[in-house]
């Protein structure tokens, strides 16, 4: 996966995270710092998976 593809996938993941964080069912919003950390975690995991795929 190149950088452009990674950015596209991350944009989609970030939209999903934001939709899940804005929970209308439980009315408990997720703190912005937690959202940022979750997005960073997904990016790191995707980058790691790509690096492992290239190495293998």
């Amino acid at each position: 996966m190149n950088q452009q593809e990674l950015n596209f996938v991350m944009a989609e993941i970030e939209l999903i995270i934001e939709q899940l964080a804005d929970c209308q069912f439980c009315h408990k919003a997720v703190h912005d710092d937690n959202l940022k950390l979750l997005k960073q975690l997904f990016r790191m995991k995707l980058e790691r998976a790509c690096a492992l795929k290239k190495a293998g």
Side-chain angles (χ1 to χ4, degrees), residues 2-48:
N2 63 34
Q3 190 64 37
Q4 183 179 6
E5 292 169 327
L6 176 63
N7 291 340
F8 177 78
V9 170
M10 281 307 303
E12 294 294 317
I13 289 172
E14 289 176 4
L15 285 174
I16 293 168
I17 290 171
E18 289 172 12
Q19 289 172 356
L20 291 172
D22 186 28
C23 181
Q24 297 300 318
F25 179 72
C26 66
H27 304 290
K28 294 181 181 177
V30 176
H31 194 273
D32 286 340
D33 289 341
N34 292 339
L35 285 176
K36 183 178 177 182
L37 290 173
L38 188 55
K39 291 174 185 180
Q40 289 174 346
L41 176 64
F42 268 93
R43 178 173 287 279
M44 288 173 25
K45 291 292 184 181
L46 282 172
E47 289 172 346
R48 176 81 172 133

